[in-house]
Amino acid sequence: MPVARYALLLMLVLVSADYIALFIAGKAPRALRKLMDRMSNGDENRVELLIENRLPFSVYIKVVDELPVQCQHRSWLRNVFLKGNSQQSVVDIVTGK
């Protein structure tokens, strides 16, 4: 019985430390989308996402972007690995239809 109590106590401490590291002490990652002022339906359009990890540790992020309806892309999804306190640019070329 005492082993189970110690295991439960250890698990609660670890979950609390994880919660504090993610939501209280750190700042959440953020993203900024850069587009042209006007997108062309027939030409290639450059879409750039600047993703910044403001946490002190590395994270693996799944990025889903809702592109404009004219681009006809319904499932724009990228997997990004970011080291602590770093940023990365994800560039894609889309065409309207």
Side-chain angles (χ1 to χ4, degrees):
M1 186 72 165
V3 174
R5 287 185 186 193
Y6 290 128
L8 179 62
L9 181 63
L10 178 64
M11 188 174 81
L12 289 174
V13 167
L14 292 175
V15 168
S16 298
D18 189 41
Y19 183 83
I20 289 170
L22 284 176
F23 299 110
I24 296 173
K27 296 179 180 177
R30 64 180 172 183
L32 173 70
R33 184 191 315 155
K34 294 182 181 180
L35 297 171
M36 300 182 311
D37 289 335
R38 295 179 185 218
M39 297 180 77
S40 174
N41 282 340
D43 297 330
E44 294 181 343
N45 301 294
R46 185 173 193 255
V47 177
E48 179 180 1
L49 285 176
L50 181 62
I51 305 166
E52 180 182 9
N53 179 14
R54 300 183 298 166
L55 296 168
F57 47 86
S58 299
V59 293
Y60 181 76
I61 300 175
K62 187 176 285 193
V63 180
V64 179
D65 191 13
E66 296 285 331
L67 295 173
V69 175
Q70 294 83 357
C71 294
Q72 299 294 320
H73 290 264
R74 301 287 186 251
S75 59
W76 194 91
L77 175 72
R78 298 293 182 269
N79 297 313
V80 179
F81 177 78
L82 291 170
K83 293 183 180 179
N85 296 315
S86 68
Q87 63 184 11
Q88 182 176 345
S89 180
V90 178
V91 178
D92 196 17
I93 304 295
V94 296
T95 56
K97 299 193 181 197

